[in-house]
Amino acid sequence: MILIILILGVLAVGVIAAVIVSRSAVPGVEAPVTTQSFTGLPQGPVQVGDLDRVRLDLAFRGYRMDQVDGVMGRLRQELAARDQEIDRLRAQEDQHGDL
């Protein structure tokens, strides 16, 4: 019985050490390689061509939700900023039109 507890203890210490090492930067070890091809939207205003080039990675049940949420959040910000700019320009036009 003591032998089984000793083996389980050694295995537990090994798992804990593996988790700690995998989450910390080790000098001389390169960053992990990923199979994800998603690069996101480019910086700056979003253009139609940017949306045509977006390719989301597939997940078990569709697309990766973190990537979809990121693209949708960015588009939400862009549309809100453009709506504010349109409203500002329309208000400015109304002010100058009344003169």
Side-chain angles (χ1 to χ4, degrees):
M1 183 68 173
I2 293 178
L3 185 59
I4 293 173
I5 293 173
L6 182 63
I7 291 172
L8 290 176
V10 170
L11 287 174
V13 169
V15 168
I16 292 170
V19 168
I20 290 171
V21 168
S22 70
R23 298 199 183 273
S24 63
V26 179
V29 177
E30 294 182 19
V33 177
T34 181
T35 59
Q36 296 181 10
S37 61
F38 179 71
T39 58
L41 292 170
Q43 296 295 321
V46 177
Q47 305 296 323
V48 175
D50 297 335
L51 292 177
D52 292 338
R53 287 185 290 278
V54 169
R55 297 292 178 259
L56 302 169
D57 294 325
L58 294 176
F60 180 66
R61 294 181 51 192
Y63 295 105
R64 294 182 50 90
M65 289 306 296
D66 58 333
Q67 294 174 356
V68 173
D69 291 344
V71 170
M72 295 303 291
R74 174 80 183 280
L75 291 175
R76 185 181 311 110
Q77 291 173 351
E78 289 280 332
L79 289 174
R82 288 180 187 182
D83 287 346
Q84 289 176 351
E85 180 68 12
I86 289 170
D87 291 342
R88 185 187 65 78
L89 291 172
R90 285 183 179 160
Q92 197 175 43
E93 182 181 75
D94 289 343
Q95 289 175 354
H96 291 295
D98 290 343
L99 294 177

